[in-house]
Amino acid sequence: MTVKARFAPSPTGLVHVGNIRTAILNYLFCRKHDGQFWLRFDDTDRERAKEEFVEAIREDLAWLGLSADEEVRQSSRTAQYELAANQLRERGLLYACYETPDELDRRRKRQLARGLPPIYDRAALKLSEQELATLHAEGRKPHWRFRLPNTVGDAADLEPKQTLVKWDDLVRGPQSVDLGSLSDPVMIREDGSYLYTFTSVVDDAEMEITHVIRGEDHTTNTGVQISLFEAMGTTPPTFGHHNLLIAADGKALSKRLGSLSIQSLREEGLEAMAVVSHAALIGTSDAIEPHAEMASLASLFSPSKLSSAPARFDPAELRGLNGKMVHELGFDAVKERLAAMGVGGGDAFWMAVRGNLEVVSDALKWWNVVNADIVPVVEDDAFLSKAAELLPEDPWDDQTWSQWTSLIKGETGAKGKALFMPLRLALTGAKSGPEMQLILPLIGSARVKQRLQGQTA
Ligand code: GLU
């Protein structure tokens, strides 16, 4: 069996770290099993699905390196959905309902007041010919519900009974949903548009999707959808429900989606593979470490390693992971980005500063420290004047710092922090930063002399 999985976003907004994780887990699963990864836009919601979000999602996936073997749009498959819906209608499994949202709401409140579960009472199936004719005459348009297989008697028996749908979840092991506790789900809206619950099953069956890995918020849907697969005479795929992400403060991640969209992470200058590594490893039993290649993440990935508890997402942890990745990047991997920012200095500059960066664009700060005016911090004029007198002659290299500081130590007796910190503060204006032996020659003797006198250079 060839594994085939899909990422099926509804293009109603930007993709964020939480939902891209679904794409990443599916992608890695396919890579691991030499399978196919499909991208399917669930874009049947005429009000909310937008072309700009389709474009944005494509761009995000391309940036992250999640290339799809095939792309499908649900909006172009209405004929297939119509066909499947008609087959269910003929068998009485999809039925027309005319209640307005207000009517349904009032009914739910009455049920709750009487201590009954607020599930749809299948009133539409009890309408007489006469009542139906009146509704048609009023021009009321129906929405359509799927009749859940939760009754035991003949078609006239409308009373739901406990009916467990069971599956062996790739992540959570044996699972079940009681169809007896659910309303018959709406599959087609009044305006004729389809709900993804329905279209997804038609597509997954027709496209021979073998595995559906998605968030645990879909567990109830899975119960409904398995019964829909069965009603259509098809075999359901294997399901796996991954844990969801919550913010570091324990609240749902959705509250802070803006700053956590993939687009904003890209604009912040994060490495695509840091985002992928973090999303793939958070909430699993593997250590969160940077992986430069998809292949190593794919070989590590297994749905059974995902925890069933929600995973805490901390943007600082992602930035830390990004830093670790940047510390290992060779000059070739960044030279174009550095050039675009106006950062020069070639390989020597990059190797001097990369260990101090969280994102590549932080290199600009150190480029300015080396090249532009800084405000030197001067606390002990006499010490720095002495140091200036002892500066070695040009040309300087990575030995110059140790030669120079040995001379200063010999003359002044200063050592350790008392020796190095005043020099670092004067030369860089900061208490910490790249190794002085590497940036001293980059700053160069002219600027060093000026800065030791407290002058901006
Ligand atoms: N369009 C659905 C969503 O974004 C797809 C769920 C699924 O993967 O089946 O939630």
Side-chain angles (χ1 to χ4, degrees), residues 5 36 108 153 159 174 199 297 299 325 336 341 404:
Q36 288 214 10
R108 264 193 301 270
E159 205 46 52
T199 50
L297 278 172
S299 67
M325 183 163 268
E336 277 160 28
M341 287 187 278
W404 183 38

Side-chain angles (χ1 to χ4, degrees), residues 6 8-10 22 40 42 196 200 204 212-214 218 225:
R6 81 305 192 269
S10 303
T22 307
R40 189 185 76 211
D42 287 359
Y196 109 88
S200 184
D204 287 341
V212 171
I213 299 173
R214 57 186 183 179
H218 283 293
Q225 288 182 317

Side-chain angles (χ1 to χ4, degrees), residues 368-408:
N368 287 334
V369 166
V370 167
N371 282 283
D373 291 351
I374 61 144
V375 183
V377 177
V378 171
E379 281 164 357
D380 182 345
D381 279 329
F383 177 79
L384 294 178
S385 308
K386 182 68 66 226
E389 282 169 26
L390 296 169
L391 276 172
E393 293 293 313
D394 278 322
W396 286 2
D397 59 23
D398 60 4
Q399 297 305 306
T400 307
W401 171 255
S402 67
Q403 289 158 6
W404 183 38
T405 49
S406 305
L407 291 173
I408 303 171

Side-chain angles (χ1 to χ4, degrees), residues 13-29:
L14 291 178
V15 170
H16 60 85
V17 282
N19 38 39
I20 204 65
R21 193 159 157 256
T22 307
I24 291 169
L25 300 180
N26 276 288
Y27 178 87
L28 294 176
F29 186 74

